[in-house]
Amino acid sequence: MHRELRRPNVTLMLLWEEYCDANSGSFSYARFCERYKEWTGRLKPTLRQVHVAGEKLFVDYSGHTMEVVDGLSGEARSMQIFVAELGASNYTYAEASFNRSLRQGIAVDHDSGARVAMA
């Protein structure tokens, strides 16, 4: 189960639904999450990182895209999702753009830094 959660789009809710389908006397979702949290609490933590507030901004494109439909022409275009996150607070900023060009990436990265600073 722990390994499954590393896969894209796999959530505890999805795993719980699969568990309920396979078991007639299943736990409630809250109890399922509680037991999973208890189990993960017994794991040895690895690579714990401490981030000083405001020191680091992590940026990348998410890898997933989204479709946007032009209301006038009806044309669907794929958009890239840029994500920036402050290391200490996990404050997240996301923005969609039509491409991943260097110029677009620099502009979005600059905007994210300014918007995170204003929050």
Side-chain angles (χ1 to χ4, degrees):
M1 187 166 100
H2 194 59
R3 203 172 297 133
E4 282 290 309
L5 282 170
R6 294 181 190 165
R7 295 178 53 209
N9 303 318
V10 175
T11 63
L12 273 175
M13 177 68 77
L14 177 65
L15 293 175
W16 175 72
E17 289 170 355
E18 291 175 358
Y19 164 75
C20 288
D21 290 343
N23 299 288
S24 59
S26 55
F27 299 119
S28 68
Y29 177 67
R31 181 69 179 137
F32 184 82
C33 291
E34 186 179 298
R35 294 205 42 173
Y36 178 72
K37 187 176 179 179
E38 288 170 4
W39 180 81
T40 57
R42 292 190 299 264
L43 297 175
K44 292 183 180 178
T46 58
L47 195 61
R48 289 207 181 253
Q49 296 180 352
V50 177
H51 300 290
V52 177
E55 185 176 88
K56 294 181 183 174
L57 177 68
F58 298 95
V59 297
D60 200 0
Y61 282 91
S62 73
H64 294 285
T65 60
M66 59 186 276
E67 294 292 317
V68 175
V69 179
D70 185 320
L72 298 175
S73 68
E75 176 189 7
R77 292 184 65 186
S78 181
M79 298 197 67
Q80 305 291 321
I81 303 168
F82 173 85
V83 181
E85 185 172 296
L86 284 172
S89 66
N90 289 335
Y91 180 80
T92 304
Y93 169 80
E95 182 175 325
S97 60
F98 286 112
N99 60 46
R100 290 189 187 188
S101 70
L102 180 59
R103 175 178 285 167
Q104 181 69 36
I106 291 171
V108 172
D109 186 30
H110 181 267
D111 283 352
S112 70
R115 293 179 198 277
V116 167
M118 291 187 309

